Amino acid sequence: MTGERRRATAVDVARLAGVSQSAVSRCFTEGASVSAETRSRVLEAARRLSYRPNAIARSLTTRRTNLIGVVMGDLDGPFQPYLFETLTRGLASRGKQPLLVRGDPADALDGTAMAALDYQVDAVVVTAGSVSPAAIRGLMALGVPLLLYGRAVEADGVDSICCDNPLGARLVAQALVAAGHRRIAYLGGRPTAFSEQERGSAFRAALAELGMPLAAVGEGDYSYDSGHREALRLLAGPDRPDALFCGNDAMAFGALDAARTALGLRVPDELSIVGFDDVPMAGWPSFSLTTIRNPVEDIVATLLDMLERRLADPDAPPVLNRPAPVLVRRGSARL
Amino acid sequence: MTGERRRATAVDVARLAGVSQSAVSRCFTEGASVSAETRSRVLEAARRLSYRPNAIARSLTTRRTNLIGVVMGDLDGPFQPYLFETLTRGLASRGKQPLLVRGDPADALDGTAMAALDYQVDAVVVTAGSVSPAAIRGLMALGVPLLLYGRAVEADGVDSICCDNPLGARLVAQALVAAGHRRIAYLGGRPTAFSEQERGSAFRAALAELGMPLAAVGEGDYSYDSGHREALRLLAGPDRPDALFCGNDAMAFGALDAARTALGLRVPDELSIVGFDDVPMAGWPSFSLTTIRNPVEDIVATLLDMLERRLADPDAPPVLNRPAPVLVRRGSARL
DNA sequence: AGCGCCGTTGCATGCGTATGCAAAGCCGCT
DNA sequence: AGCGGCTTTGCATACGCATGCAACGGCGCT
């Protein structure tokens, strides 16, 4: 009952229960035809042998692994772990196993990363915002259903869901201008990232529509350090901005630290800082970050629905979903 | 070449290359006997069909999946993602795939969680410090090599690696006393966690040895919120402590925020705060947390070595590893 | 020329499970 | 009693690959 060298198989259970291997299999298959008596005999035998069906062998015949490839970049910032946590919990609750595919630093997917896909994942969810279009095409060529998070793509057989970045950027622009800010700066994330492209251009466009020039622009990479560095640069000059919109929360934290600790600025009196994502940390008193809430929980729930629908019908028309973000007012901006 | 409904198999490649399926298999097996000419013909055919061996089918015969079960709790705090990131990168670099097993809130491992193990993982790495001993025994009964991180266990066939918590706690006690603190408080983490038991008792013992009473004790759960809450309680009374040692960094952040923002205390002048772990965030200027460095990178490297050794020889005697932590002096403590 | 050896190759089989098919049982109905 | 229909069961096979075994061929050697 304890440390047998080999795990029990369906054949072992069948022998003990005095039935055929097929009967055992049917007891563990939803909706199969087994009599109540056989089932209980089999389950009892299975219990005694600590038998559990071999998912590997099962998937060989069913052509379903219940493994979902999850393409992620680093878990560095506060956002990715939050998303990953939510996503993996959701997958588990629907009986699916996430299989991690790490994007490499160059945003490509090398052999090591692709190795995970050799496990015959039923679908692939891409959450790394920076995976190159070429890599995406490579995934599509696999013939596996593909779900893109964090980028909006119109392509055959690819579903995507992505927070309405332009709306979020517009909300910030309007709120900042309405509150009387006049020297508004923007600190962008990694320029190759889809979200950056949308947020940056929408923010510029919204300000232009309001007749407000953009006072200064910085280029970060979504990391705390880059936010710190760029904020120092942007806020050092003579015509210091009175508001700074950052492409994500991590950079906003860096900017906040730079402004308060390194430059001795009072936030939000002398400088308003706004982030994007609303990670859990944004609510911590030391930050109290005013930011745009990226509705991760809703997004993941929707994403899982899209996934199930796609698995049920691989030929259904592709879906594009753009949930709306919302402005969360806290203490880092005078709004 | 693009969206074929079914992926190519070794038989397809064999047909195209004019060889047997065995030959194809040998081309993808390390150290198998194939002539140079056959190999190139096969590889060319494989390339044209985008063939990659089916890891599922392969593992059925080799009895090796290269899947490693990774038992984790929540990815809430800053530490777990850091550890997970390091661990999964390390596994990938050694050709292993992490398969996530989520511990449920009650620290047990329910059916959903165990489902991951049906994928015939080669080994299980437990990183959740709060998984109950009963659950650990359940894992052992699976007959799968088990590696425990974050707890020290002496048991047959179980390797474990765990930062030397008592040493870390002693370092803090000595440094605080040496720096002249006289009212030292301790804020512990989840009492059921192994690390909490070691850190708490070693801290008490070390203070006692130095003839220093413990001024106050709080009980948190390793979360930021609990650190915030307990700090408010501990620091509100009349005889306010002049030093607070927290069971991990997350609680220290919460305590720091409570002390500075809610209570208006000057840190470290009026209160020294020390954490444990040294997560990346501890170095951020807004925290600048003095803490004990839990050498995660080294630990993971060692853990991976232990894993490979265990896989090579399941009957080798169990190993217990206790890497030494180190005190990192930053700005949150007067030391 | 004949022998033996080694590097290659294909054949056949097994890994653990799911499932189509047919056989077997069972029931109620006429 | 006989029949049709339904449920339950076992048999056989397939899933995609790795691998032991035997067959084959070429080579160097005597």
Side-chain angles (χ1 to χ4, degrees), chain B residues 271-324:
Chain B
L271 174 71
S272 284
I273 294 185
V274 180
F276 203 116
D277 279 346
D278 193 26
V279 298
M281 266 173 58
W284 291 9
S286 43
F287 297 116
S288 185
L289 184 70
T290 293
T291 189
I292 295 290
R293 174 191 295 270
N294 193 338
V296 169
E297 327 264 341
D298 297 345
I299 286 181
V300 166
T302 307
L303 191 154
L304 292 175
D305 285 343
M306 291 165 65
L307 178 60
E308 295 211 332
R309 214 159 310 170
R310 174 60 59 201
L311 290 177
D313 179 7
D315 298 314
V319 174
L320 168 58
N321 232 304
R322 305 240 43 184

Side-chain angles (χ1 to χ4, degrees), chain A residues 184-245:
Chain A
I184 302 178
Y186 175 66
L187 172 43
R190 207 177 303 110
T192 55
F194 178 81
S195 54
E196 165 55 22
Q197 289 157 15
E198 281 201 330
R199 292 171 194 177
S201 60
F203 191 60
R204 284 166 218 264
L207 284 184
E209 263 176 45
L210 295 164
M212 178 69 61
L214 191 55
V217 173
E219 177 182 321
D221 60 6
Y222 282 139
S223 72
Y224 173 91
D225 286 340
S226 74
H228 197 272
R229 166 175 44 84
E230 290 296 297
L232 286 183
R233 199 172 60 71
L234 291 173
L235 303 173
D239 295 324
R240 179 159 45 72
D242 58 6
L244 176 60
F245 174 39

Side-chain angles (χ1 to χ4, degrees), chain B residues 20 22-23 26 33 35 38 60-61 63:
Chain B
S20 74
S22 317
R26 289 193 246 263
S33 165
S35 71
T38 303
L60 196 55
T61 65
R63 297 161 173 293

Side-chain angles (χ1 to χ4, degrees), chain B residues 130-145:
Chain B
S130 61
V131 174
S132 68
I136 298 283
R137 256 176 275 120
L139 288 173
M140 288 179 56
L142 279 180
V144 166

Side-chain angles (χ1 to χ4, degrees), chain A residues 9 28 57 86 101 132 167 177 227 261 281 325 328:
Chain A
T9 74
F28 289 92
T86 311
V101 181
S132 69
L167 171 58
V177 170
T261 308
M281 266 174 57
V328 179

Side-chain angles (χ1 to χ4, degrees), chain A residues 161-179:
Chain A
I161 183 165
C162 176
C163 154
D164 191 339
N165 293 309
L167 171 58
R170 234 176 297 136
L171 291 175
V172 175
Q174 288 163 359
L176 287 177
V177 170

Side-chain angles (χ1 to χ4, degrees), chain A residues 19-20 22-23 26 33 35 38 60-61 63:
Chain A
V19 298
S20 73
S22 316
R26 290 191 174 102
S33 165
S35 71
T38 303
L60 194 56
T61 65
R63 296 163 173 293

Side-chain angles (χ1 to χ4, degrees), chain A residues 55-204:
Chain A
I56 293 285
R58 163 180 286 176
S59 67
L60 194 56
T61 65
T62 59
R63 296 163 173 293
R64 266 274 177 131
T65 56
N66 288 322
L67 293 173
I68 305 293
V70 176
V71 180
M72 301 223 24
D74 289 340
L75 285 171
D76 289 352
F79 181 73
Q80 295 288 343
Y82 176 39
L83 172 66
F84 184 73
E85 167 81 16
T86 311
L87 180 59
T88 53
R89 288 245 178 253
L91 285 173
S93 76
R94 306 207 180 194
K96 312 230 172 286
Q97 291 291 333
L99 200 57
L100 207 52
V101 181
R102 311 301 308 248
D104 80 357
D107 300 340
L109 294 173
D110 61 7
T112 313
M114 298 292 277
L117 306 179
D118 295 342
Y119 288 84
Q120 314 298 107
V121 295
D122 292 338
V124 174
V125 177
V126 178
T127 72
S130 61
V131 174
S132 69
I136 298 284
R137 255 175 276 121
L139 288 173
M140 289 178 57
L142 279 179
V144 166
L146 203 55
L147 265 86
L148 269 30
Y149 162 83
R151 72 181 66 203
V153 167
E154 311 262 17
D156 278 355
V158 181
D159 298 317
S160 54
I161 183 165
C162 176
C163 154
D164 191 339
N165 293 309
L167 171 58
R170 234 176 297 136
L171 291 175
V172 175
Q174 288 163 359
L176 287 177
V177 170
H181 296 84
R182 287 298 170 260
R183 306 193 38 71
I184 302 178
Y186 175 66
L187 172 43
R190 207 177 303 110
T192 55
F194 178 81
S195 54
E196 165 55 22
Q197 289 157 15
E198 281 201 330
R199 292 171 194 177
S201 60
F203 191 60
R204 284 166 218 264

